[in-house]
Amino acid sequence: YAFVTKIKSNGLIDASFGNAGLVEFPTYYTFNDMMFELGTNKLIVAGMKGTNVATIARLHTSGFMDGSFGNLGSTDISTVNSSTYYQIEDLNIDQSNKYIITGKHYTTSGTSTFTQVVVMRFDANGAIDNTFDSDGKAYYNYLATGSHEEGRRIFANTQNEYYICGASY
């Protein structure tokens, strides 16, 4: 299960957070990155709800989902078919307060096994931002189709240009 926990500055679990310091999300696969939302101190987490579903969610400081974000606390983006998958690695925010995530999109079917860098952008309310690459999702292969590439970190500069570092092989 995906989980979020809170540790006090003295190293002890903060039992006032979630259920005795831990919130488990049994319908989610993993959360891989987290940040505090600007001005609200709420948590934004990103990862995968399943191997073929990328997710971004907002949590109250209590640890529980904020139902006013996305669809009852999260926005889930599925791949186009059952043989393609997402692995979300990083989350950040740009100068327009839009959330950006990166990772890899990959297929494991047949002889066309490959991975590509994926970038998704979401509005502050959790909705996918369809002004980004017409559907909120962009896929990149820098070497060639059939290569293996993945985004590991994403940053935005003051002009809302995105910088991604990762791996290509």
Side-chain angles (χ1 to χ4, degrees):
Y1 301 150
F3 73 89
V4 178
T5 191
K6 182 179 178 186
I7 308 295
K8 294 180 184 182
S9 61
N10 63 6
L12 298 176
I13 292 175
D14 185 344
S16 69
F17 182 82
N19 297 310
L22 178 73
V23 181
E24 291 181 294
F25 298 87
T27 61
Y28 290 77
Y29 180 67
T30 183
F31 292 138
N32 291 341
D33 202 8
M34 176 173 51
M35 64 183 289
F36 282 102
E37 185 177 55
L38 298 174
T40 69
N41 219 23
K42 292 181 181 179
L43 296 168
I44 302 292
V45 293
M48 290 87 68
K49 191 167 186 176
T51 54
N52 67 329
V53 181
T55 192
I56 185 170
R58 182 167 64 193
L59 311 177
H60 293 287
T61 54
S62 64
F64 297 102
M65 290 272 196
D66 178 356
S68 67
F69 184 84
N71 181 17
L72 301 176
S74 70
T75 300
D76 305 324
I77 306 298
S78 297
T79 58
V80 293
N81 62 53
S82 62
S83 64
T84 58
Y85 306 92
Y86 287 124
Q87 183 173 323
I88 302 304
E89 295 290 339
D90 196 33
L91 160 72
N92 217 318
I93 191 167
D94 70 14
Q95 301 297 313
S96 299
N97 293 325
K98 294 185 183 257
Y99 296 103
I100 47 178
I101 61 177
T102 193
K104 69 180 175 181
H105 172 256
Y106 60 102
T107 181
T108 59
S109 65
T111 58
S112 62
T113 300
F114 68 94
T115 61
Q116 349 172 236
V117 172
V118 62
V119 176
M120 297 180 197
R121 187 167 74 186
F122 302 85
D123 293 327
N125 65 3
I128 190 84
D129 179 4
N130 290 325
T131 67
F132 180 73
D133 200 52
S134 77
D135 65 355
K137 307 176 289 288
Y139 305 93
Y140 307 99
N141 274 106
Y142 298 106
L143 296 177
T145 299
S147 64
H148 298 280
E149 299 170 15
E150 55 192 76
R152 294 288 178 94
R153 298 287 179 259
I154 188 166
F155 298 94
N157 67 13
T158 56
Q159 291 80 37
N160 279 337
E161 299 166 324
Y162 302 150
Y163 290 83
I164 302 163
C165 64
S168 181
Y169 51 95

